[in-house]
Amino acid sequence: MKTHESEEMYLETIYLLSRRKPNVRSVDVVEELGYAKSSVSRAVNLLCKKGYIVIDANGDIALTESGKKRAESTYEKHSIFTELFIRMGASRDLAEENACRMEHVISDNMFEIIKTYLNQN
């Protein structure tokens, strides 16, 4: 993985998969993202080394507390941006696509301002 954004994308994907199924494996991430097995394997190993995930003897992936916190934060940004863009008139597809981009680059301060604004309006 080359960037902070990639880590967040993988963590968010693992988080969302874990909400849909009891066990998440690398092959599930491959299928979800459409990436090469080798790319996902490298990413998963790096996330494991950084302490964001653990992999058991069966190959099941679980988020650590720090991994879950980071994944939930990314997913919250994605959800808020998607809602905002839809309210502004974007189609769901366009909103989702742009939310994916923005969730990785916005500062925490600006995100809190947008979240507060949405909650008040």
Side-chain angles (χ1 to χ4, degrees), residues 8-113:
E8 289 178 343
M9 181 204 47
Y10 278 101
L11 290 170
E12 182 182 20
T13 300
I14 293 165
Y15 172 73
L16 291 173
L17 285 168
S18 70
R19 291 176 58 176
R20 294 195 315 245
K21 53 192 310 180
N23 301 314
V24 177
R25 305 186 76 185
S26 289
V27 68
D28 301 317
V29 178
V30 167
E31 290 172 2
E32 186 75 14
L33 295 175
Y35 290 176
K37 289 179 187 178
S38 59
S39 296
V40 172
S41 179
R42 279 192 301 275
V44 164
N45 286 329
L46 183 58
L47 292 172
C48 194
K49 286 179 187 174
K50 289 187 170 192
Y52 292 123
I53 62 170
V54 291
I55 305 168
D56 71 14
N58 296 321
D60 294 335
I61 300 170
L63 294 165
T64 62
E65 279 303 312
S66 62
K68 185 176 180 186
K69 182 178 177 183
R70 197 163 163 201
E72 288 175 335
S73 173
T74 301
Y75 182 65
E76 178 187 33
K77 289 176 184 175
H78 181 96
S79 299
I80 295 288
F81 282 131
T82 300
E83 179 183 342
L84 173 65
F85 298 149
I86 288 171
R87 283 190 193 183
M88 293 170 64
S91 68
R92 175 155 296 278
D93 287 344
L94 184 61
E96 292 273 352
E97 177 185 332
N98 283 277
C100 284
R101 292 183 187 143
M102 291 189 64
E103 68 194 30
H104 303 294
V105 296
I106 193 164
S107 72
D108 289 340
N109 289 341
M110 190 68 220
F111 177 67
E112 287 302 319
I113 291 167

